[in-house]
Amino acid sequence: QVQLVESGGGLVQAGGSLRLSCTASGRTFSSYAMGWFRQASGKEREFVTGISWNGIRTVYAVSVKGRFTISRDNAKNTVLLQMNSLEPEDTAVYYCAAGVSLVVTRSAAYWGQGTQVTVSS
């Protein structure tokens, strides 16, 4: 079992930055690929980014590539999402997720409760 808790969401103006943090419980954190998904109001949840268990491989959705950066610290059971050049279209609830094959399948076995990110124009 892996429990995930996100933090760092909030309200920011277009062009601004936010950093989301996800802290995982459990001793098996380093066994999992980690990722972030988001769900805007009235839309389906979509994949944003993922990182392999050792941090070597990262993948990004086309819509965020070059603006968002994912990283992880296995010693601290933490994964970060640095979001720059935010756009109103990035407004959504952001979910931290864990899955053994997340980077490849873009699917997860464990989810956080979500944190709201709102970008004003």
Side-chain angles (χ1 to χ4, degrees):
Q1 286 282 348
V2 177
Q3 293 183 325
L4 306 171
V5 178
E6 304 100 333
S7 62
L11 173 64
V12 65
Q13 289 188 332
S17 299
L18 279 176
R19 189 176 74 168
L20 304 184
S21 178
C22 174
T23 301
S25 63
R27 294 175 291 179
T28 59
F29 174 77
S30 60
S31 300
Y32 290 90
M34 299 295 297
W36 292 90
F37 293 71
R38 68 186 182 186
Q39 186 168 20
S41 180
K43 296 186 177 180
E44 294 187 353
R45 192 178 318 194
E46 64 175 358
F47 173 82
V48 176
T49 179
I51 186 167
S52 60
W53 68 272
N54 56 6
I56 290 178
R57 182 179 177 185
T58 57
V59 292
Y60 295 91
V62 171
S63 59
V64 306
K65 196 168 187 178
R67 300 187 297 121
F68 290 12
T69 303
I70 189 171
S71 61
R72 69 186 293 162
D73 185 339
N74 286 346
K76 297 181 179 180
N77 281 17
T78 299
V79 61
L80 300 176
L81 179 63
Q82 179 66 43
M83 305 185 293
N84 298 329
S85 302
L86 284 162
E87 304 168 353
E89 293 73 23
D90 296 316
T91 295
V93 177
Y94 284 71
Y95 297 90
C96 178
V100 172
S101 58
L102 184 148
V103 169
V104 175
T105 65
R106 302 190 178 191
S107 62
Y110 302 100
W111 298 88
Q113 82 286 354
T115 185
Q116 177 71 45
V117 171
T118 303
V119 184
S120 63
S121 57

